[in-house]
Amino acid sequence: MNIPILFEDGEALVIDKPAGLPVDRPKRGGPALFDHIEQLKLGFQRPPVAVHRLDTDTSGCLLMARNPKALKRFNKAFENRVVGKTYLAIIDFEPSEQSGTIELNLTKISSAEKGWRMIAAKKGKPAVSHWELLQTIGEGEKKRSLIRFRPETGRTHQLRVHALQGLGAPLLGDPVYGPVRGQNKGGPRTMLHAEAIHVTRPGKDPVSAFAPFPEDFVRAGLTAPEPPPSPIREPAPAEPLDNG
């Protein structure tokens, strides 16, 4: 498997992470991004280190630091909430509005039956996602929509929960928050794609990358949208984040 490189300089790599490839090695073992680390050195002695995380099913832009100084700089950018990101998602539902903002605090729960998941709760950590409807296909009750999310925060499973409880439908194929737990109903995976990332750097050009529209999104009947403007973020008050 060749990992596409979307951006490269002396500090950073942005890769187009394939869907189904976990960033961290699963406890049960199996393939992981680390298996491709030699390929991603690109002549450097140090292996690159993932700055944030994407769920195993999520494809698209993953930022990696190429040295400890860069890792510290990028971690600080995430903590200060100056990393701009956009995601594409598919839901089998047509929202009643064209765009909006979802503000639902999130907290983690777990049970022996269902394992762990995130839920909306007043005492949870603040989570904010902006969204816009890009495309809807189908008729009647059989409608499918392409949504672009621009998260302000990076909580674990934020967009998955915000889709379900904010828009009214789970992401297509989501086995945890979907209609039937344990089944990828309607999709080959959780249909979420990290479309773009933008990180400003004092004294340097920004890290900016765009991941092409996934083939399985095309097979789901959707059309690639126009690329978004660089999702630049203005500085915000620092707050600990899950960095997801």
Side-chain angles (χ1 to χ4, degrees):
M1 177 191 297
N2 287 323
I3 308 294
I5 306 296
L6 304 173
F7 178 95
E8 175 193 357
D9 71 4
E11 286 192 339
L13 288 179
V14 179
I15 65 170
D16 188 353
K17 186 189 83 65
L21 184 68
V23 174
D24 297 316
R25 183 84 62 191
K27 292 181 179 179
R28 63 181 181 277
L33 182 62
F34 184 79
D35 298 328
H36 306 275
I37 207 69
E38 288 299 321
Q39 171 197 341
L40 296 177
K41 285 183 178 179
L42 301 177
F44 277 41
Q45 289 188 342
R46 286 192 178 98
V49 177
V51 180
H52 57 117
R53 295 292 179 268
L54 295 177
D55 289 345
T56 297
D57 269 1
T58 304
S59 56
C61 294
L62 179 72
L63 174 63
M64 306 186 77
R66 304 188 79 179
N67 60 63
K69 185 177 180 180
L71 179 61
K72 184 177 180 179
R73 172 184 291 193
F74 295 142
N75 279 335
K76 187 174 181 180
F78 271 95
E79 290 169 4
N80 291 339
R81 292 163 64 170
V82 294
V83 178
K85 294 186 287 182
T86 63
Y87 290 77
L88 296 176
I90 301 174
I91 59 174
D92 274 353
F93 182 73
E94 183 180 19
S96 58
E97 299 178 350
Q98 294 296 306
S99 62
T101 297
I102 300 166
E103 298 185 56
L104 290 173
N105 293 5
L106 301 179
T107 192
K108 184 177 180 179
I109 63 168
S110 63
S111 67
E113 293 180 354
K114 296 183 178 181
W116 72 270
R117 62 172 60 198
M118 304 298 290
I119 62 168
K122 289 183 179 180
K123 294 185 178 181
K125 293 180 179 179
V128 181
S129 304
H130 306 285
W131 67 273
E132 61 176 317
L133 175 62
L134 300 179
Q135 181 185 1
T136 298
I137 60 173
E139 296 181 356
E141 296 183 357
K142 294 185 178 181
K143 288 188 176 181
R144 176 166 290 177
S145 297
L146 181 66
I147 305 292
R148 176 176 282 142
F149 282 107
R150 183 171 58 83
E152 278 196 22
T153 51
R155 307 303 179 195
T156 301
H157 292 187
Q158 174 173 320
L159 300 182
R160 296 165 70 178
V161 179
H162 278 185
L164 176 63
Q165 299 192 352
L167 295 182
L171 301 186
L172 181 66
D174 193 325
V176 175
Y177 304 99
V180 181
R181 176 167 166 75
Q183 297 182 12
N184 282 338
K185 185 175 182 181
R189 61 166 170 124
T190 303
M191 302 299 271
L192 183 63
H193 178 65
E195 178 189 33
I197 189 167
H198 187 96
V199 188
T200 56
R201 297 182 290 183
K204 290 180 176 286
D205 291 337
V207 176
S208 191
F210 171 80
F213 199 62
E215 291 183 6
D216 54 3
F217 275 49
V218 176
R219 291 194 292 271
L222 282 308
T223 303
E226 289 293 320
S230 293
I232 299 172
R233 291 290 307 279
E234 296 297 329
E239 178 186 348
L241 294 180
D242 294 332
N243 231 19

